[in-house]
Amino acid sequence: MKPSYREQLECLGRHFDAIRETQAESARVDARLAEQVDQARRFAEVLALDAVQAAKDKAREGPPAISGVTAGVPRARWDAAMVAKREFVTELACTLRLPVRSTETLIAESQTLMNELPATRAALQDGSITYRHAQAIMNQAWSLPAEALAGFEEALLKSAPHLTVANLKYKARVMRERQHPESITARHQKSVADRKVVFEPEPDGMASLYWFDSAEKVKAGYDRLTVMGMSLQGPNETRALTQLRADVFEDLILDGVTASGVGKGIRGSVHVTVPVMTLLGHSEEPGHLEGYGPIDPDTAREIAARAPGFIRVLIHPETGVVLSVGRTRYKVPKELRRYLRVRDETCRWPGCRRAATQCDIDHTLDWQFDGLTEHDNLAHLCPADHALKSETRWTYMHLPDGTLKWTSPTGRTFISEPATIIRAPERRPKPEPHPGPPPRPSSDARSRPPEANEPPPF
């Protein structure tokens, strides 16, 4: 017998109850993760204090005698406390597969939940709010004085379980403005220093450009795009207003007016790798846009057609690309730099996405320790991660396919894959020479008598 409509609704309600319980379970896991992260932070701080004390004790003993191993090694720029802090943050980042900046935020959030907002942590633990709700509260609470936190937290948690994250963010922001002892003018002046533009890859050959700045400037910019887009609308215009805004923005950002005058024709550097068969129109294999990833073959061919020149990125021994200059020089030659840029594309620290063009080229085994200037002893590292490798116990080694195997201070390993795996082409075996007629002996050979054990010429 088919269940009644009411019974079916009750069954659907049980599905919703199960979904809600799973969400509550996820919140409890987030609360447990925050507790574990903060425990690890406190443990690492104890280790850091021990390291600082050990360094002080060693300093009191006097400088060690210079040996053949330590002679010429530059003095560390980071003290023991900084080394311990960076080692903890970076290894946690690799463990959770998070960017370092996101990991630092997680550490701060965990510390806040465990020590400053206990009621928010309790609400997260019982599943009445999600971690995103907790973040909305924390993001506004961080700038409040300690004495205002309890009242701020209590007021928000009364309604937080019934609000969307967006509504809670709005309510928390309004409440923070009322309770903050510092004027909004002073806080705005500090926040302006955080202005930035961020590039974000999107699916299907698309991307976003995110502009973070003063609200009045961003709103004015958006309104200008809207007005300019609306001015292009007409009976023969097929583009929607959203598309017109995007096209107007493209025109302004690429060919617009800057503070120094007209910027007509200004273009950023675009590095595209195109398979040769795609370039010739015999294949639809995607191209590869540096800093983004796969792009459609038509766009790749169009960019290649406008390119002032080409860089052939092939591999030794068939093409003569320089892969090593050994110990002959420290500076990396141009051909090898191009090879490394295509192979790496970004910083080779696990999870770092900083473009190779903004990175240093690091000798894996330092030049001062007889490291070679060759492709399997070189990798791009951004300045921050280059310093990390130099100042801490993080190390890495090259694998044959260009993969880097990083080893953490605790001995755990993490992998950084190359953007492009460049393999040497297979060598075809040389054909056997075709046997021809025996060479005719020279007149000298015919006139010379055969020596002992030498066969006669005929």
Side-chain angles (χ1 to χ4, degrees), residues 303-334:
I303 294 173
R306 299 198 307 265
F310 292 91
I311 299 172
R312 296 182 67 204
V313 184
L314 304 175
I315 206 165
H316 175 83
E318 301 293 337
T319 63
V321 171
V322 177
L323 299 185
S324 174
V325 293
R327 293 288 298 174
T328 61
R329 66 168 110 167
Y330 174 79
K331 186 177 179 180
V332 182
K334 182 191 294 186

Side-chain angles (χ1 to χ4, degrees), residues 107-227:
I107 294 170
E109 290 173 347
S110 300
Q111 185 175 2
T112 299
L113 286 172
M114 296 302 299
N115 301 288
E116 300 171 18
L117 298 175
T120 302
R121 177 172 61 87
L124 189 64
Q125 181 64 52
D126 64 27
S128 59
I129 63 172
T130 68
Y131 195 77
R132 291 182 62 202
H133 287 85
Q135 287 177 313
I137 297 173
M138 287 186 287
N139 288 340
Q140 301 301 324
W142 276 332
S143 60
L144 288 173
E147 59 271 15
L149 289 179
F152 174 78
E153 182 183 33
E154 181 182 3
L156 288 176
L157 288 176
K158 289 179 180 178
S159 52
H162 314 293
L163 295 176
T164 65
V165 174
N167 286 340
L168 181 61
K169 283 182 179 179
Y170 176 78
K171 185 170 185 176
R173 187 170 68 250
V174 171
M175 189 171 296
R176 169 181 171 270
E177 294 297 342
R178 293 172 180 168
Q179 299 187 9
H180 204 288
E182 192 175 16
S183 71
I184 189 172
T185 302
R187 284 181 281 120
H188 174 70
Q189 291 173 349
K190 295 177 182 177
S191 298
V192 166
D194 296 329
R195 63 190 181 277
K196 58 187 175 182
V197 175
V198 179
F199 170 78
E200 187 69 30
E202 305 285 357
D204 303 325
M206 306 297 284
S208 300
L209 197 63
Y210 172 75
W211 176 28
F212 178 78
D213 208 324
S214 298
E216 75 283 0
K217 294 179 181 178
V218 177
K219 183 61 167 60
Y222 181 80
D223 288 346
R224 185 185 183 198
L225 293 176
T226 301
V227 171

Side-chain angles (χ1 to χ4, degrees), residues 331-394:
K331 186 177 179 180
V332 182
K334 182 191 294 186
E335 296 86 352
L336 184 50
R337 282 180 173 272
R338 289 171 174 171
Y339 172 91
L340 295 170
R341 176 176 170 181
V342 173
R343 185 197 69 184
D344 294 346
E345 194 172 302
T346 65
C347 171
R348 294 301 303 279
W349 166 261
C352 184
R353 294 293 302 167
R354 187 162 185 176
T357 53
Q358 303 169 25
C359 293
D360 308 324
I361 297 182
D362 171 60
H363 283 71
T364 309
L365 176 62
D366 292 346
W367 176 264
Q368 62 190 351
F369 298 135
D370 295 330
L372 302 179
T373 302
E374 60 183 10
H375 71 287
D376 56 0
N377 191 52
L378 297 169
H380 284 93
L381 294 179
C382 70
D385 294 328
H386 196 172
L388 181 75
K389 180 252 184 180
S390 301
E391 302 290 330
T392 70
R393 291 169 291 180
W394 276 99

Side-chain angles (χ1 to χ4, degrees), residues 79-99:
D79 59 20
M82 174 62 77
V83 169
K85 178 181 178 181
R86 299 316 302 166
E87 287 183 346
F88 171 69
V89 171
T90 52
E91 185 156 0
L92 180 61
C94 288
T95 300
L96 297 177
R97 300 179 296 279
L98 290 174

